[in-house]
Amino acid sequence: QVQLVESGGGLVQAGGSLRLSCAASGSIFSILVTAWYRQAPGKQRELVAAITSGGNTNYVDSVKDRFTISRDNAKNTVWLQMNSLKPEDTAVYYCAARDFRVSGYDYWGQGTQVTVSS
């Protein structure tokens, strides 16, 4: 079983930065693909960024060149550095993880609110 705990959300002005952290428990972190999702009010949850244990990353187009996902397997931690934030980035951000052998994300954090004011 894997537990994920996010931190680092908050209120920031447009153009500002935030860094989200996701701490994972469990000994299988090294085989997990980890990701950040977000859900804005009235919208579906969307994948923002993902990273494999080997460091391969992918991003949704709307955050490319602004957000950076990273991880430290030794610390069982994943980060999302968010720069040049826009009001449309406002959402609840969730950390997620899955075994690399399956397609669906099995493990989810409780979410952290990110609010970007204009």
Side-chain angles (χ1 to χ4, degrees), residues 10-57:
L11 173 64
V12 64
Q13 288 188 333
S17 298
L18 282 175
R19 190 189 196 203
L20 305 182
S21 299
C22 174
S25 65
S27 61
I28 62 171
F29 184 79
S30 62
I31 69 168
L32 297 177
V33 177
T34 50
W36 289 94
Y37 278 75
R38 67 185 179 187
Q39 187 166 21
K43 294 187 176 181
Q44 289 189 329
R45 189 175 296 188
E46 69 169 347
L47 176 63
V48 176
I51 185 168
T52 67
S53 59
N56 293 317
T57 60

Side-chain angles (χ1 to χ4, degrees), residues 85-104:
L85 283 161
K86 303 175 181 180
E88 51 263 43
D89 294 318
T90 295
V92 178
Y93 283 70
Y94 297 89
C95 180
R98 62 174 173 87
D99 187 305
F100 74 93
R101 294 164 291 188
V102 300
S103 59

